Amino acid sequence: MADTTTRIDETHELIASDKVEGTAVYSPADEKLGTISHFMVDKQTGHVAYAVMSFGGFLGMGNSYHPLPWRALHYDVNRQGYVVDLTPDQLKGAPSYTSETMPNWSDQLYGHQIDKYYEGPLGH
Amino acid sequence: MADTTTRIDETHELIASDKVEGTAVYSPADEKLGTISHFMVDKQTGHVAYAVMSFGGFLGMGNSYHPLPWRALHYDVNRQGYVVDLTPDQLKGAPSYTSETMPNWSDQLYGHQIDKYYEGPLGH
């Protein structure tokens, strides 16, 4: 049943949010970086602004959250997870927070900070 | 803790997907219709194509799922839930499925069918 649902939802066009949440994220060098925790969705437009990846300490940190631009994530059928075109070093310097230091998303500066950071690594 | 998180994530700009999932949906006449189950997200663009509302039998049906256009949902701070600009009759005639009759999302005709249905009720 779970398998069938997954196959149906993960088409080339549309994917179910609750299937993405919990999916593993890997570096291009195949290191497991974390899992997708949730999305941040623009209320007005319905556009996914960021996919928030949670880390369980891989980078020497406690549990932390990295908001990633949607375009940074590419689904890899073989790994059954997302590959993000970023090195661990690039991620270490990226905007992140913990459950004790939740960002103020209503301050648009936070989003601008994320966008600005990823302009470089993602070459866009 | 849960309260704080909710307040921070539900800004006028961005909202966390895992906060939307499970949120109640009401008719304009204040009838509870169901809850948001998950989103269908376009893999390429990151756009939320549909918010899928699950019904627990309110309309005389068993548990069923109605994919709604994002623009049909408006958050009501007082009700702490979404209000959908549709009458129960409009919803009864809308595309829906059960866990036994999952749609084939990879067939774009299904999406077109949803879009076409809501063109009328949503006046767009």
Side-chain angles (χ1 to χ4, degrees):
Chain A
M1 179 62 206
D3 271 351
T4 310
T5 308
T6 302
R7 244 180 288 132
I8 290 170
D9 283 348
E10 289 178 5
T11 73
H12 72 291
E13 281 294 327
L14 298 177
I15 190 163
S17 59
D18 55 352
K19 294 291 179 293
V20 180
E21 291 159 1
T23 300
V25 180
Y26 298 94
S27 75
D30 214 20
E31 298 152 298
K32 184 172 173 189
L33 299 173
T35 57
I36 300 294
S37 168
H38 60 274
F39 307 137
M40 294 304 296
V41 180
D42 186 299
K43 281 188 180 184
Q44 295 304 315
T45 64
H47 197 271
V48 175
Y50 309 104
V52 180
M53 175 166 53
S54 66
F55 287 76
F58 167 80
L59 300 171
M61 302 178 291
N63 199 55
S64 64
Y65 299 91
H66 284 232
L68 300 171
W70 179 266
R71 70 180 191 283
L73 297 169
H74 307 282
Y75 192 75
D76 184 317
V77 176
N78 294 326
R79 286 168 178 158
Q80 303 227 2
Y82 288 94
V83 176
V84 63
D85 293 335
L86 298 165
T87 65
D89 271 353
Q90 285 172 326
L91 274 174
K92 273 188 195 173
S96 69
Y97 56 90
T98 69
S99 50
E100 280 78 44
T101 60
M102 296 284 290
N104 181 5
W105 286 105
S106 65
D107 182 352
Q108 295 189 22
L109 284 177
Y110 188 69
H112 290 321
Q113 186 188 330
I114 300 167
D115 299 341
K116 196 165 173 59
Y117 182 83
Y118 286 107
E119 269 173 15
L122 296 174
H124 175 69
Chain B
M1 178 64 206
D3 272 351
T4 310
T5 307
T6 303
R7 245 179 288 130
I8 291 170
D9 284 347
E10 290 179 3
T11 72
H12 72 292
E13 281 294 326
L14 299 177
I15 190 164
S17 59
D18 54 354
K19 294 290 178 295
V20 180
E21 292 159 1
T23 300
V25 180
Y26 298 93
S27 75
D30 214 20
E31 298 152 298
K32 184 174 173 188
L33 299 173
T35 56
I36 301 293
S37 168
H38 60 275
F39 307 138
M40 295 304 297
V41 180
D42 186 299
K43 281 189 179 184
Q44 296 304 315
T45 65
H47 198 270
V48 175
Y50 309 105
V52 180
M53 176 167 53
S54 66
F55 287 75
F58 168 79
L59 300 172
M61 303 177 292
N63 199 56
S64 64
Y65 299 91
H66 283 232
L68 300 171
W70 178 266
R71 70 180 190 282
L73 297 168
H74 306 282
Y75 192 75
D76 184 317
V77 175
N78 294 326
R79 287 167 179 158
Q80 303 227 2
Y82 288 93
V83 176
V84 63
D85 292 336
L86 298 165
T87 65
D89 272 352
Q90 285 171 327
L91 274 174
K92 274 188 193 173
S96 68
Y97 56 89
T98 69
S99 51
E100 280 79 44
T101 60
M102 295 282 291
N104 181 5
W105 285 105
S106 65
D107 181 352
Q108 296 190 20
L109 284 177
Y110 188 69
H112 289 321
Q113 186 187 330
I114 300 167
D115 298 341
K116 197 165 173 59
Y117 182 81
Y118 287 106
E119 269 173 16
L122 296 174
H124 175 69

Short mmCIF file of all heavy atoms in Angstrom, two decimals, chain B residues 77-120:
data_model
loop_
_atom_site.label_atom_id
_atom_site.label_comp_id
_atom_site.label_asym_id
_atom_site.label_seq_id
_atom_site.Cartn_x
_atom_site.Cartn_y
_atom_site.Cartn_z
N VAL B 77 -7.86 34.05 10.45
CA VAL B 77 -7.17 34.07 11.74
C VAL B 77 -8.14 33.71 12.87
O VAL B 77 -7.78 32.99 13.80
CB VAL B 77 -6.54 35.47 11.99
CG1 VAL B 77 -5.93 35.54 13.37
CG2 VAL B 77 -5.48 35.75 10.93
N ASN B 78 -9.38 34.20 12.78
CA ASN B 78 -10.33 33.94 13.87
C ASN B 78 -10.70 32.47 13.97
O ASN B 78 -10.77 31.92 15.06
CB ASN B 78 -11.60 34.77 13.66
CG ASN B 78 -11.31 36.26 13.81
OD1 ASN B 78 -10.46 36.66 14.61
ND2 ASN B 78 -11.99 37.07 13.02
N ARG B 79 -10.93 31.84 12.84
CA ARG B 79 -11.28 30.42 12.84
C ARG B 79 -10.05 29.53 13.00
O ARG B 79 -10.18 28.33 13.18
CB ARG B 79 -11.98 30.05 11.52
CG ARG B 79 -13.40 30.57 11.42
CD ARG B 79 -13.89 30.43 10.00
NE ARG B 79 -15.26 30.89 9.84
CZ ARG B 79 -15.79 31.27 8.67
NH1 ARG B 79 -15.07 31.22 7.58
NH2 ARG B 79 -17.04 31.66 8.60
N GLN B 80 -8.87 30.11 12.84
CA GLN B 80 -7.63 29.34 12.84
C GLN B 80 -7.71 28.20 11.84
O GLN B 80 -7.31 27.06 12.12
CB GLN B 80 -7.33 28.80 14.24
CG GLN B 80 -7.26 29.91 15.27
CD GLN B 80 -6.05 29.78 16.19
OE1 GLN B 80 -5.22 28.89 16.04
NE2 GLN B 80 -5.92 30.68 17.13
N GLY B 81 -8.24 28.52 10.68
CA GLY B 81 -8.33 27.51 9.64
C GLY B 81 -8.53 28.18 8.29
O GLY B 81 -8.62 29.41 8.21
N TYR B 82 -8.61 27.37 7.25
CA TYR B 82 -8.82 27.90 5.92
C TYR B 82 -10.30 27.94 5.61
O TYR B 82 -11.07 27.07 6.02
CB TYR B 82 -8.10 27.05 4.87
CG TYR B 82 -6.61 27.23 4.95
CD1 TYR B 82 -5.83 26.38 5.71
CD2 TYR B 82 -6.00 28.29 4.29
CE1 TYR B 82 -4.46 26.57 5.81
CE2 TYR B 82 -4.64 28.49 4.38
CZ TYR B 82 -3.87 27.63 5.15
OH TYR B 82 -2.53 27.83 5.26
N VAL B 83 -10.68 28.98 4.87
CA VAL B 83 -12.03 29.07 4.34
C VAL B 83 -11.92 28.90 2.84
O VAL B 83 -11.06 29.51 2.19
CB VAL B 83 -12.67 30.42 4.69
CG1 VAL B 83 -14.05 30.54 4.04
CG2 VAL B 83 -12.78 30.57 6.20
N VAL B 84 -12.75 28.02 2.31
CA VAL B 84 -12.73 27.77 0.88
C VAL B 84 -14.02 28.34 0.28
O VAL B 84 -15.11 28.13 0.82
CB VAL B 84 -12.52 26.26 0.60
CG1 VAL B 84 -13.68 25.43 1.12
CG2 VAL B 84 -12.28 25.99 -0.86
N ASP B 85 -13.87 29.11 -0.78
CA ASP B 85 -15.01 29.82 -1.37
C ASP B 85 -15.88 28.89 -2.21
O ASP B 85 -16.12 29.14 -3.39
CB ASP B 85 -14.52 30.97 -2.26
CG ASP B 85 -13.88 32.07 -1.43
OD1 ASP B 85 -14.21 32.17 -0.23
OD2 ASP B 85 -13.05 32.81 -1.98
N LEU B 86 -16.34 27.82 -1.61
CA LEU B 86 -17.13 26.83 -2.32
C LEU B 86 -18.25 26.36 -1.40
O LEU B 86 -18.07 26.26 -0.19
CB LEU B 86 -16.28 25.62 -2.69
CG LEU B 86 -15.09 25.86 -3.63
CD1 LEU B 86 -14.15 24.67 -3.59
CD2 LEU B 86 -15.57 26.12 -5.04
N THR B 87 -19.38 26.09 -1.99
CA THR B 87 -20.49 25.55 -1.21
C THR B 87 -20.33 24.03 -1.12
O THR B 87 -19.64 23.43 -1.95
CB THR B 87 -21.83 25.87 -1.89
OG1 THR B 87 -21.88 25.17 -3.15
CG2 THR B 87 -21.99 27.36 -2.14
N PRO B 88 -20.97 23.41 -0.14
CA PRO B 88 -20.93 21.95 -0.08
C PRO B 88 -21.39 21.30 -1.39
O PRO B 88 -20.83 20.27 -1.79
CB PRO B 88 -21.88 21.63 1.08
CG PRO B 88 -21.74 22.80 1.99
CD PRO B 88 -21.58 23.99 1.06
N ASP B 89 -22.36 21.90 -2.07
CA ASP B 89 -22.82 21.33 -3.34
C ASP B 89 -21.72 21.38 -4.40
O ASP B 89 -21.54 20.43 -5.17
CB ASP B 89 -24.07 22.07 -3.85
CG ASP B 89 -25.35 21.46 -3.30
OD1 ASP B 89 -25.26 20.39 -2.67
OD2 ASP B 89 -26.42 22.06 -3.50
N GLN B 90 -21.01 22.50 -4.44
CA GLN B 90 -19.92 22.61 -5.41
C GLN B 90 -18.84 21.57 -5.11
O GLN B 90 -18.25 20.99 -6.01
CB GLN B 90 -19.33 24.03 -5.39
CG GLN B 90 -20.22 25.05 -6.09
CD GLN B 90 -19.75 26.48 -5.88
OE1 GLN B 90 -19.20 26.81 -4.83
NE2 GLN B 90 -19.97 27.32 -6.88
N LEU B 91 -18.60 21.34 -3.83
CA LEU B 91 -17.59 20.34 -3.45
C LEU B 91 -18.05 18.93 -3.78
O LEU B 91 -17.25 18.08 -4.17
CB LEU B 91 -17.28 20.44 -1.96
CG LEU B 91 -16.22 21.46 -1.57
CD1 LEU B 91 -16.10 21.56 -0.07
CD2 LEU B 91 -14.87 21.09 -2.19
N LYS B 92 -19.34 18.68 -3.61
CA LYS B 92 -19.86 17.34 -3.90
C LYS B 92 -19.59 16.94 -5.33
O LYS B 92 -19.32 15.79 -5.64
CB LYS B 92 -21.38 17.27 -3.63
CG LYS B 92 -21.72 16.96 -2.19
CD LYS B 92 -23.22 16.71 -2.04
CE LYS B 92 -23.62 16.72 -0.56
NZ LYS B 92 -25.06 16.65 -0.37
N GLY B 93 -19.69 17.92 -6.26
CA GLY B 93 -19.48 17.62 -7.67
C GLY B 93 -18.02 17.68 -8.10
O GLY B 93 -17.71 17.43 -9.25
N ALA B 94 -17.14 18.03 -7.17
CA ALA B 94 -15.74 18.26 -7.52
C ALA B 94 -14.96 16.95 -7.64
O ALA B 94 -15.35 15.94 -7.07
CB ALA B 94 -15.10 19.16 -6.46
N PRO B 95 -13.85 16.98 -8.39
CA PRO B 95 -13.00 15.79 -8.49
C PRO B 95 -12.52 15.37 -7.10
O PRO B 95 -12.10 16.20 -6.30
CB PRO B 95 -11.81 16.28 -9.33
CG PRO B 95 -12.34 17.43 -10.11
CD PRO B 95 -13.35 18.09 -9.21
N SER B 96 -12.63 14.09 -6.81
CA SER B 96 -12.17 13.56 -5.52
C SER B 96 -11.81 12.10 -5.69
O SER B 96 -12.11 11.49 -6.70
CB SER B 96 -13.25 13.72 -4.46
OG SER B 96 -14.35 12.86 -4.75
N TYR B 97 -11.16 11.56 -4.67
CA TYR B 97 -10.78 10.14 -4.72
C TYR B 97 -10.68 9.61 -3.30
O TYR B 97 -10.70 10.39 -2.33
CB TYR B 97 -9.46 9.94 -5.47
CG TYR B 97 -8.29 10.74 -4.94
CD1 TYR B 97 -7.46 10.22 -3.94
CD2 TYR B 97 -7.99 12.01 -5.42
CE1 TYR B 97 -6.37 10.94 -3.46
CE2 TYR B 97 -6.92 12.74 -4.94
CZ TYR B 97 -6.11 12.20 -3.97
OH TYR B 97 -5.05 12.92 -3.48
N THR B 98 -10.62 8.31 -3.18
CA THR B 98 -10.42 7.68 -1.87
C THR B 98 -9.07 6.98 -1.90
O THR B 98 -8.40 6.94 -2.94
CB THR B 98 -11.52 6.65 -1.58
OG1 THR B 98 -11.34 5.53 -2.46
CG2 THR B 98 -12.91 7.23 -1.78
N SER B 99 -8.66 6.42 -0.77
CA SER B 99 -7.37 5.71 -0.74
C SER B 99 -7.41 4.48 -1.64
O SER B 99 -6.37 3.94 -2.01
CB SER B 99 -7.00 5.34 0.69
OG SER B 99 -8.08 4.68 1.32
N GLU B 100 -8.61 4.05 -2.01
CA GLU B 100 -8.72 2.90 -2.92
C GLU B 100 -8.75 3.33 -4.39
O GLU B 100 -8.64 2.50 -5.28
CB GLU B 100 -10.00 2.09 -2.63
CG GLU B 100 -9.87 1.13 -1.44
CD GLU B 100 -10.01 1.89 -0.12
OE1 GLU B 100 -10.91 2.73 -0.01
OE2 GLU B 100 -9.18 1.66 0.79
N THR B 101 -8.98 4.61 -4.61
CA THR B 101 -9.08 5.06 -6.01
C THR B 101 -8.14 6.24 -6.25
O THR B 101 -8.54 7.29 -6.76
CB THR B 101 -10.52 5.51 -6.36
OG1 THR B 101 -10.89 6.60 -5.47
CG2 THR B 101 -11.51 4.37 -6.20
N MET B 102 -6.88 6.05 -5.88
CA MET B 102 -5.88 7.11 -6.06
C MET B 102 -5.78 7.48 -7.54
O MET B 102 -5.73 6.62 -8.40
CB MET B 102 -4.51 6.60 -5.59
CG MET B 102 -4.43 6.32 -4.10
SD MET B 102 -4.26 7.83 -3.12
CE MET B 102 -2.61 8.34 -3.57
N PRO B 103 -5.72 8.79 -7.82
CA PRO B 103 -5.62 9.20 -9.21
C PRO B 103 -4.21 8.96 -9.75
O PRO B 103 -3.26 8.81 -8.99
CB PRO B 103 -5.90 10.70 -9.15
CG PRO B 103 -5.42 11.11 -7.80
CD PRO B 103 -5.70 9.94 -6.89
N ASN B 104 -4.12 8.93 -11.05
CA ASN B 104 -2.82 8.83 -11.71
C ASN B 104 -2.34 10.25 -12.01
O ASN B 104 -2.65 10.81 -13.06
CB ASN B 104 -2.97 8.01 -12.99
CG ASN B 104 -1.64 7.87 -13.71
OD1 ASN B 104 -0.60 8.30 -13.21
ND2 ASN B 104 -1.66 7.27 -14.89
N TRP B 105 -1.58 10.80 -11.08
CA TRP B 105 -1.14 12.19 -11.23
C TRP B 105 -0.21 12.37 -12.42
O TRP B 105 -0.02 13.49 -12.91
CB TRP B 105 -0.43 12.67 -9.96
CG TRP B 105 -1.35 12.96 -8.81
CD1 TRP B 105 -1.52 12.18 -7.69
CD2 TRP B 105 -2.21 14.09 -8.63
NE1 TRP B 105 -2.43 12.76 -6.84
CE2 TRP B 105 -2.87 13.94 -7.39
CE3 TRP B 105 -2.49 15.22 -9.41
CZ2 TRP B 105 -3.79 14.87 -6.90
CZ3 TRP B 105 -3.41 16.15 -8.91
CH2 TRP B 105 -4.04 15.96 -7.67
N SER B 106 0.41 11.30 -12.86
CA SER B 106 1.32 11.43 -14.00
C SER B 106 0.54 11.65 -15.30
O SER B 106 1.10 12.06 -16.31
CB SER B 106 2.24 10.22 -14.12
OG SER B 106 1.48 9.07 -14.41
N ASP B 107 -0.75 11.36 -15.25
CA ASP B 107 -1.61 11.66 -16.40
C ASP B 107 -2.10 13.09 -16.23
O ASP B 107 -2.92 13.39 -15.36
CB ASP B 107 -2.80 10.70 -16.42
CG ASP B 107 -3.71 10.94 -17.61
OD1 ASP B 107 -3.51 11.95 -18.33
OD2 ASP B 107 -4.63 10.12 -17.82
N GLN B 108 -1.59 13.98 -17.07
CA GLN B 108 -1.90 15.39 -16.89
C GLN B 108 -3.38 15.70 -17.07
O GLN B 108 -3.85 16.76 -16.68
CB GLN B 108 -1.06 16.26 -17.84
CG GLN B 108 0.42 16.16 -17.53
CD GLN B 108 1.26 17.18 -18.29
OE1 GLN B 108 0.75 18.19 -18.76
NE2 GLN B 108 2.54 16.92 -18.40
N LEU B 109 -4.11 14.75 -17.67
CA LEU B 109 -5.54 14.97 -17.83
C LEU B 109 -6.22 15.13 -16.48
O LEU B 109 -7.21 15.84 -16.36
CB LEU B 109 -6.17 13.79 -18.59
CG LEU B 109 -5.91 13.77 -20.11
CD1 LEU B 109 -6.54 12.52 -20.72
CD2 LEU B 109 -6.48 15.03 -20.76
N TYR B 110 -5.69 14.44 -15.46
CA TYR B 110 -6.33 14.56 -14.14
C TYR B 110 -6.24 15.99 -13.63
O TYR B 110 -7.22 16.55 -13.14
CB TYR B 110 -5.72 13.58 -13.14
CG TYR B 110 -6.49 13.55 -11.84
CD1 TYR B 110 -7.77 13.02 -11.79
CD2 TYR B 110 -5.95 14.10 -10.68
CE1 TYR B 110 -8.50 13.03 -10.61
CE2 TYR B 110 -6.68 14.11 -9.49
CZ TYR B 110 -7.95 13.58 -9.46
OH TYR B 110 -8.67 13.59 -8.30
N GLY B 111 -5.06 16.58 -13.75
CA GLY B 111 -4.89 17.97 -13.34
C GLY B 111 -5.77 18.91 -14.14
O GLY B 111 -6.40 19.82 -13.59
N HIS B 112 -5.84 18.67 -15.44
CA HIS B 112 -6.67 19.53 -16.29
C HIS B 112 -8.13 19.45 -15.87
O HIS B 112 -8.85 20.45 -15.89
CB HIS B 112 -6.53 19.10 -17.76
CG HIS B 112 -5.19 19.43 -18.35
ND1 HIS B 112 -4.52 20.59 -18.07
CD2 HIS B 112 -4.38 18.73 -19.19
CE1 HIS B 112 -3.37 20.62 -18.71
NE2 HIS B 112 -3.25 19.49 -19.39
N GLN B 113 -8.54 18.26 -15.49
CA GLN B 113 -9.92 18.04 -15.04
C GLN B 113 -10.22 18.88 -13.79
O GLN B 113 -11.26 19.53 -13.69
CB GLN B 113 -10.07 16.55 -14.73
CG GLN B 113 -11.46 16.08 -14.40
CD GLN B 113 -11.42 14.61 -13.93
OE1 GLN B 113 -10.56 13.83 -14.36
NE2 GLN B 113 -12.32 14.25 -13.04
N ILE B 114 -9.27 18.90 -12.86
CA ILE B 114 -9.43 19.69 -11.64
C ILE B 114 -9.49 21.18 -11.98
O ILE B 114 -10.38 21.90 -11.55
CB ILE B 114 -8.26 19.44 -10.66
CG1 ILE B 114 -8.20 17.97 -10.28
CG2 ILE B 114 -8.40 20.32 -9.42
CD1 ILE B 114 -6.90 17.59 -9.59
N ASP B 115 -8.52 21.61 -12.79
CA ASP B 115 -8.46 23.03 -13.14
C ASP B 115 -9.75 23.48 -13.82
O ASP B 115 -10.27 24.56 -13.54
CB ASP B 115 -7.26 23.29 -14.07
CG ASP B 115 -5.93 22.95 -13.40
OD1 ASP B 115 -5.90 22.87 -12.15
OD2 ASP B 115 -4.95 22.75 -14.11
N LYS B 116 -10.23 22.64 -14.71
CA LYS B 116 -11.43 22.98 -15.47
C LYS B 116 -12.63 23.10 -14.53
O LYS B 116 -13.42 24.03 -14.63
CB LYS B 116 -11.69 21.91 -16.53
CG LYS B 116 -12.67 22.37 -17.61
CD LYS B 116 -12.62 21.45 -18.82
CE LYS B 116 -13.72 21.82 -19.81
NZ LYS B 116 -13.58 23.22 -20.27
N TYR B 117 -12.73 22.16 -13.57
CA TYR B 117 -13.87 22.20 -12.65
C TYR B 117 -13.90 23.51 -11.86
O TYR B 117 -14.96 24.11 -11.68
CB TYR B 117 -13.84 21.03 -11.68
CG TYR B 117 -15.04 21.04 -10.77
CD1 TYR B 117 -16.26 20.54 -11.19
CD2 TYR B 117 -14.98 21.65 -9.51
CE1 TYR B 117 -17.39 20.60 -10.39
CE2 TYR B 117 -16.10 21.71 -8.70
CZ TYR B 117 -17.29 21.20 -9.14
OH TYR B 117 -18.41 21.27 -8.35
N TYR B 118 -12.74 23.95 -11.41
CA TYR B 118 -12.70 25.12 -10.52
C TYR B 118 -12.69 26.46 -11.25
O TYR B 118 -12.84 27.50 -10.64
CB TYR B 118 -11.54 25.02 -9.54
CG TYR B 118 -11.82 24.01 -8.47
CD1 TYR B 118 -11.19 22.77 -8.46
CD2 TYR B 118 -12.76 24.27 -7.47
CE1 TYR B 118 -11.48 21.83 -7.48
CE2 TYR B 118 -13.06 23.34 -6.50
CZ TYR B 118 -12.42 22.11 -6.51
OH TYR B 118 -12.71 21.19 -5.55
N GLU B 119 -12.49 26.42 -12.55
CA GLU B 119 -12.60 27.66 -13.33
C GLU B 119 -13.93 28.35 -13.06
O GLU B 119 -13.99 29.55 -12.89
CB GLU B 119 -12.53 27.36 -14.84
CG GLU B 119 -11.15 27.39 -15.42
CD GLU B 119 -11.13 26.91 -16.86
OE1 GLU B 119 -12.22 26.86 -17.48
OE2 GLU B 119 -10.05 26.58 -17.36
N GLY B 120 -15.02 27.55 -13.04
CA GLY B 120 -16.35 28.09 -12.85
C GLY B 120 -16.57 28.65 -11.44
O GLY B 120 -16.70 29.86 -11.27
#
